[in-house]
Amino acid sequence: MTRQHAGVLFGGILFLVVAMGISRFAFTPLLPFMRIDEKLSFEAGGWLASSNYIGYFIGALGAAFIYKRKKELLLGNVVLNVAAIIFMGFTHSFALWMILRLIAGVTSGFIFVLTSSLIMDYLAQHNLTRWSGYLFSGIGLGIAISGLFVPSIEAFYSWEGTWIGLGLLSGLFLCTTLFLWRRISVQDGEKLPKTDDTNIWRGIMPWLIAAYGLEGLGYIITGTFLVDIIYNIENLRAYASYSWVVVGLAAIPSAPIWMALMSRFKPVTIMYVAYILQVFGILLPVLTQTVWSVLLSAFLFGMTFVGLVTLSTGYGRQLFPKQSGVVVSVLTTFYAIGQIIGPVIASILEGYFKSFKAPLIFAGSIVAFALIILFIGQVLTQRKAVLLNCQQSEHMS
């Protein structure tokens, strides 16, 4: 790992800090302040979140069709993303918020897929694949930054000033990456012809995609409303913002830790562990509402949701190393579909049952179902491989 390689990787980390940790997830700790000041309902918060995730779906899907001028398109999307963050603080119009969150989502989708693809390919070219997990630590770092900055800035400049401040910080990160990436050039990709070898819809991959989509649906309910839920528990209100810092701090080291585990054990087995821990973390506030239980829930959530992003995209790239862009895009697209649906369902459940427990129980159930889908996929894929080997052996004999 030379200084240049480290600089390229760090630039990618900063882009994920901006697109994921700030543009996307700063909304979570800011939502309680916006809801109080602007008299927004829980349902309105859900629609703002879903607008962002619809955009994320569009961006993630569109990134699959980009083979040329990746670096330039990536930088352009980061500029638009930063602008969308800043302008959130300059308007009180719900309609404009919906548009700005949509723009932030579209650009975040492009940034995540293009950055992941570029960095993973770059590291693979220099035999540094083992470092790829560090890229996704940018998500946790961004969450920790938003968790720390939001309450401190909001105390002096309200939620409007917080959006502007976070946008200016994002602009600083953009300039830093521009400097770090000034000497690297990205080769245009090639659109591979459709053959059996390039078809990703085979083996365990469809099951991995389905499970990842369900993970997107389940995790995002906690990811969107965790701080708001804790804020509305009177005796825990003081810990609401701290819970988001805990999520970020847990997420920062999680990516390299899960990648290290995946290199030592079977990837799917490690994913089972991550799914089980996440289900427990999501349901913990339903079972008990103490300071330690909600902070443990936040820790397990941060540790596992970034871990599952890392494990799923990393394993997908292992299965199809020449199609990293398509693999990451397809996985992220299905993840984004789940994210669109999740906040809306959570809002409906909360409105019907008048309790935060209902959406959390639903979220935990969905993530548990994702685990079951992945398990079924592994069993069927292994059984098919055994049958194929037997047929080949009989044919040879």
Side-chain angles (χ1 to χ4, degrees):
M1 176 62 74
T2 64
R3 183 179 295 180
Q4 178 179 326
H5 298 333
V8 172
L9 176 58
F10 186 64
I13 290 172
L14 289 180
F15 273 177
L16 293 194
V17 167
V18 173
M20 310 298 291
I22 295 177
S23 172
R24 191 165 169 210
F25 284 120
F27 179 74
T28 300
L30 274 166
L31 181 58
F33 301 111
M34 293 178 69
R35 288 216 307 124
I36 291 170
D37 290 352
E38 302 298 320
K39 296 180 173 55
L40 292 176
S41 65
F42 194 87
E43 185 178 3
W47 282 110
L48 282 173
S50 288
S51 175
N52 184 251
Y53 304 141
I54 289 169
Y56 190 74
F57 163 76
I58 296 169
L61 183 63
F65 301 96
I66 295 177
Y67 298 96
K68 297 180 179 181
R69 301 178 64 83
K70 285 186 177 182
K71 182 180 174 183
E72 291 79 4
L73 285 167
L74 173 57
L75 295 176
N77 273 282
V78 179
V79 171
L80 285 173
N81 190 272
V82 172
I85 298 171
I86 293 173
F87 280 108
M88 280 293 291
F90 283 100
T91 179
H92 293 258
S93 166
F94 185 81
L96 285 177
W97 285 341
M98 289 284 287
I99 294 170
L100 288 170
R101 294 308 289 158
L102 180 70
I103 293 171
V106 172
T107 53
S108 290
F110 272 106
I111 294 165
F112 179 80
V113 173
L114 292 177
T115 301
S116 302
S117 175
L118 289 177
I119 296 298
M120 285 195 292
D121 287 348
Y122 179 90
L123 293 175
Q125 289 169 8
H126 296 89
N127 298 315
L128 296 168
T129 302
R130 65 186 181 278
W131 292 88
S132 60
Y134 288 89
L135 170 67
F136 299 101
S137 65
I139 303 172
L141 180 59
I143 289 173
I145 288 171
S146 65
L148 287 168
F149 276 67
V150 166
S152 55
I153 300 176
E154 198 279 336
F156 293 97
Y157 300 104
S158 160
W159 63 264
E160 296 98 329
T162 307
W163 277 115
I164 296 168
L166 290 173
L168 294 175
L169 182 63
S170 299
L172 177 62
F173 292 156
L174 168 59
C175 293
T176 303
T177 299
L178 286 173
F179 175 77
L180 293 171
W181 284 15
R182 67 194 185 282
R183 293 177 182 171
I184 70 163
S185 58
V186 177
Q187 292 183 343
D188 290 341
E190 294 182 18
K191 188 174 182 180
L192 299 174
K194 291 184 178 180
T195 64
D196 289 339
D197 291 335
T198 60
N199 176 26
I200 68 170
W201 297 96
R202 58 192 170 91
I204 198 173
M205 193 66 190
W207 300 92
L208 177 67
I209 292 168
Y212 196 55
L214 290 170
E215 158 66 5
L217 196 161
Y219 104 94
I220 200 58
I221 293 173
T222 300
T224 301
F225 298 113
L226 175 66
V227 177
D228 205 18
I229 287 169
I230 297 172
Y231 191 85
N232 283 285
I233 301 173
E234 192 67 36
N235 62 318
L236 299 178
R237 180 165 293 181
Y239 299 91
S241 293
Y242 292 115
S243 68
W244 199 239
V245 178
V246 171
V247 170
L249 293 176
I252 291 170
S254 69
I257 289 172
W258 288 111
M259 284 294 285
L261 289 171
M262 191 171 76
S263 66
R264 294 189 61 183
F265 304 98
K266 292 181 179 179
V268 177
T269 302
I270 299 303
M271 281 189 236
Y272 292 155
V273 174
Y275 274 118
I276 291 169
L277 288 175
Q278 187 173 102
V279 171
F280 180 71
I282 290 173
L283 295 179
L284 196 54
V286 176
L287 304 174
T288 174
Q289 294 93 48
T290 66
V291 173
W292 292 109
S293 67
V294 296
L295 292 181
L296 177 59
S297 173
F299 176 84
L300 290 174
F301 176 72
M303 178 63 73
T304 55
F305 99 85
V306 173
L308 284 165
V309 170
T310 308
L311 292 169
S312 300
T313 54
Y315 184 45
R317 194 185 183 284
Q318 280 186 19
L319 295 173
F320 300 94
K322 294 182 179 179
Q323 295 165 274
S324 61
V326 174
V327 167
V328 174
S329 177
V330 170
L331 282 167
T332 307
T333 298
F334 277 81
Y335 195 69
I337 292 172
Q339 289 178 147
I340 295 168
I341 302 169
V344 176
I345 294 177
S347 301
I348 294 171
L349 290 173
E350 193 276 340
Y352 184 80
F353 291 99
K354 305 298 181 185
S355 170
F356 69 87
K357 293 182 179 181
L360 288 181
I361 291 171
F362 172 77
S365 302
I366 290 295
V367 175
F369 187 51
L371 169 64
I372 294 169
I373 289 291
L374 189 61
F375 176 75
I376 293 172
Q378 184 189 32
V379 171
L380 292 179
T381 302
Q382 288 178 342
R383 185 177 297 175
K384 186 175 181 180
V386 170
L387 289 173
L388 185 62
N389 287 334
C390 290
Q391 290 173 356
Q392 289 176 344
S393 298
E394 290 176 0
H395 181 72
M396 290 177 67
S397 61

